[in-house]
Amino acid sequence: MDVSFDFDGAVVLVTGASGALGSAVCAAFDGAGATVCATDVVEPDEEDALLDGERVEFYRADFTDESAVESVVSDVVADHGGIDALANVAGTWKGGSPVEETDVGTFDLLFDVNLKTMFLASKHALPHLQERDGAIVSVSARSSLEGGEGDGPYRASKAGVRLLTETIAEENSGVVRANAVMPSVIDTPANREMMPDADHEKWVAPEDIAEMICFLCSDAASVTSGAAVPVYGEA
């Protein structure tokens, strides 16, 4: 069954927009008619689908810096009149070491990129989302549901995304909906290069996750808030 969304007239802010998942989210919202305000610490590649959008505007910023976040949100509101949805996609993975061998720099990186960006974007977008009965969707991870070997700080940071999502949903009940998606391994060129011998057919495409993010921001999910939605298929 084909699914389509109508975000005509809506303004959507997407963090981590230059990555594989972020660019897929931008393309999905753009295809559904939204004005997409894409932001990332790095410019998108020239061949990136992000640049092909009819209604995509890029705002370069480091979302671990509160003043930069505040500036981008203010610019988006000034440029487009408000914000209807926020997709917190910015994130990274780093692991391979047990806790006693993990340097604090790795810990700080993971919590800054995965959790702090989500916190700051949500904090500064919420007043505008509250004016429009908006929605937030953030990217947690399947691995946030339990401990595991070698990537404890990553799992903890993504668990923080999930718990902060539940908090935002509770604090904004009936005003702003907040949900999270939980992917496992996403089918991206970087992951295929990192794990060449894995069964790539079981991995979920960024476009499929982007469609779920669109759904959670749409009126079709009007009764859903505070959820952590699995998007890992058979991965």
Side-chain angles (χ1 to χ4, degrees):
M1 181 177 64
D2 291 332
V3 178
S4 61
F5 302 99
D6 182 4
F7 284 94
D8 185 42
V11 179
V12 182
L13 176 60
V14 181
T15 74
S18 296
L21 179 55
S23 60
V25 171
C26 290
F29 277 111
D30 175 67
T35 294
V36 180
C37 300
T39 183
D40 206 316
V41 70
V42 296
E43 297 279 354
D45 294 335
E46 290 185 2
E47 298 180 357
D48 198 295
L50 175 64
L51 298 179
D52 296 332
E54 296 180 6
R55 292 165 294 273
V56 178
E57 184 171 351
F58 186 76
Y59 298 76
R60 183 172 182 174
D62 178 359
F63 263 48
T64 66
D65 179 347
E66 183 165 19
S67 62
V69 177
E70 190 171 12
S71 178
V72 167
V73 170
S74 295
D75 287 347
V76 167
V77 172
D79 292 343
H80 303 289
I83 302 174
D84 295 279
L86 167 65
N88 286 309
V89 185
T92 191
W93 181 88
K94 197 172 180 66
S97 302
V99 169
E100 70 272 17
E101 297 176 11
T102 301
D103 63 85
V104 72
T106 297
F107 180 93
D108 288 342
L109 171 71
L110 290 165
F111 272 78
D112 279 352
V113 177
N114 293 338
L115 183 56
K116 188 178 182 181
T117 61
M118 178 264 187
F119 164 72
L120 289 175
S122 300
K123 172 184 175 179
H124 289 283
L126 269 168
H128 307 287
L129 293 166
Q130 289 162 350
E131 293 177 355
R132 297 194 176 193
D133 295 333
I136 299 174
V137 178
S138 303
V139 179
S140 180
R142 178 183 186 178
S143 61
S144 75
L145 296 172
E146 60 185 4
E149 296 183 4
D151 62 352
Y154 170 79
R155 292 171 184 257
S157 67
K158 287 297 190 178
V161 170
R162 181 165 44 81
L163 291 171
L164 194 55
T165 294
E166 294 174 1
T167 297
I168 293 170
E170 183 69 22
E171 291 177 346
N172 292 273
S173 179
V175 182
V176 175
R177 293 181 296 106
N179 293 290
V181 293
M182 297 190 300
S184 181
V185 183
I186 303 174
D187 191 5
T188 66
N191 283 338
R192 284 189 177 231
E193 183 178 348
M194 188 185 307
M195 295 172 276
D197 298 325
D199 186 354
H200 303 150
E201 296 301 316
K202 291 186 176 181
W203 294 356
V204 177
E207 293 77 12
D208 292 332
I209 298 173
E211 187 171 279
M212 176 57 74
I213 291 173
C214 284
F215 166 73
L216 290 170
C217 288
S218 75
D219 292 341
S222 62
V223 296
T224 302
S225 190
V229 180
V231 288
Y232 39 79
E234 297 179 358

